[in-house]
Amino acid sequence: MLNFLHPLLVVFVSRGIKSPNLPTLTVLGGSNTCGHGRSVPTKKLFRNVLFGKFMQLHKTARQPIHTSARLQNSCTPSMGPQYAASCFRYFVPNTTTMATVEFTPNLLFQSIDGLRDLSLVVQRLLELQIVTLLINLVPPGKGYREIGLAVTGIGRKYRVPVITLEWSRSTQQMWLQDKRHLNEMGHQFVANATFDHIVNSLWAPSLSNVSTVEMVAPGIGLPSCIF
């Protein structure tokens, strides 16, 4: 039964077969990817749950492809995609085979420049044939809604799947009280939605946009190349 999952394992880990470097899931984003205020245990964060799902799938495969893989946390709290765009290789190691990109809440404060940087990051990921997903977390408010639509537009332009969760009365139980960051339930939902979409899209004729959720986790130091 697990044979049909084999393509997913190939996508995620096959590039590391002839290399001592482990294949990598790289997570790019702001404070939602970084684990805002440690309000959610690290092991419950979207990035960790998603990575755990891939590794569990790998362990249950009949013909394991690689002994392990790596999770690269490349988030920067309270920041947009400008650092990732200007210092791409600092944030995205050359072993990356899959990446999630989450910057929507922080784009509200960066106008058109932030959207251009986001487009550049997505474009460069695709040029390297990295499986790419946009995570589109939309807090309440007209400004955030417009940014969320713009992020969806970038997904359509590059034919990249967009996992979207917009704050509403029906989804508010997945958010912290500040309405800008996800709680543990929200993280679990993002991980499930992202994993399910990746699996399903492998057999679809083309990648399509989906409506689902967002995430959070701790950051790294700023790259020297931006100074």
Side-chain angles (χ1 to χ4, degrees):
M1 179 177 178
L2 288 173
N3 283 343
F4 82 98
L5 295 173
H6 189 73
L8 177 59
L9 300 177
V10 172
V11 168
F12 186 46
V13 302
S14 63
R15 294 185 190 177
I17 291 177
K18 296 182 179 180
S19 170
N21 297 316
L22 295 179
T24 303
L25 167 63
T26 296
V27 292
L28 298 156
S31 55
N32 269 293
T33 302
C34 286
H36 174 69
R38 300 189 181 278
S39 54
V40 177
T42 300
K43 66 180 181 179
K44 299 291 186 179
L45 294 174
F46 158 84
R47 63 182 191 193
N48 296 78
V49 176
L50 179 61
F51 184 71
K53 283 177 172 289
F54 283 125
M55 296 312 299
Q56 184 60 39
L57 179 62
H58 177 54
K59 290 178 181 178
T60 56
R62 293 179 182 176
Q63 294 179 324
I65 298 173
H66 201 280
T67 56
S68 188
R70 187 165 69 96
L71 174 63
Q72 171 67 33
N73 176 28
S74 291
C75 68
T76 48
S78 303
M79 298 302 299
Q82 63 268 43
Y83 290 144
S86 60
C87 299
F88 183 81
R89 272 309 182 191
Y90 180 90
F91 288 89
V92 182
N94 59 13
T95 54
T96 300
T97 55
M98 188 176 296
T100 59
V101 185
E102 172 274 310
F103 288 107
T104 301
N106 297 339
L107 289 171
L108 181 66
F109 311 104
Q110 300 182 356
S111 66
I112 194 66
D113 292 333
L115 291 172
R116 287 173 179 167
D117 289 335
L118 181 61
S119 294
L120 179 59
V121 170
V122 171
Q123 183 178 346
R124 295 190 69 181
L125 288 169
L126 294 177
E127 287 173 351
L128 295 172
Q129 299 183 352
I130 294 170
V131 176
T132 303
L133 294 97
L134 283 168
I135 307 297
N136 191 24
L137 173 62
V138 187
K142 181 180 179 181
Y144 285 116
R145 191 170 300 113
E146 292 175 349
I147 291 293
L149 290 173
V151 171
T152 299
I154 291 174
R156 289 200 183 107
K157 177 180 179 180
Y158 293 101
R159 301 186 69 187
V160 167
V162 181
I163 309 299
T164 298
L165 176 67
E166 183 169 356
W167 189 96
S168 67
R169 291 182 182 274
S170 61
T171 64
Q172 61 181 328
Q173 72 273 19
M174 298 185 188
W175 301 70
L176 296 175
Q177 290 186 350
D178 66 3
K179 301 179 183 180
R180 295 187 70 248
H181 302 92
L182 292 191
N183 59 22
E184 186 173 324
M185 181 186 298
H187 279 273
Q188 184 66 52
F189 183 58
V190 173
N192 292 342
T194 305
F195 182 81
D196 291 346
H197 181 67
I198 291 171
V199 172
N200 292 334
S201 68
L202 286 174
W203 296 272
S206 62
L207 293 178
S208 58
N209 293 314
V210 194
S211 197
T212 330
V213 68
E214 257 293 330
M215 49 198 254
V216 298
I220 55 178
L222 299 181
S224 59
C225 61
I226 66 171
F227 298 111

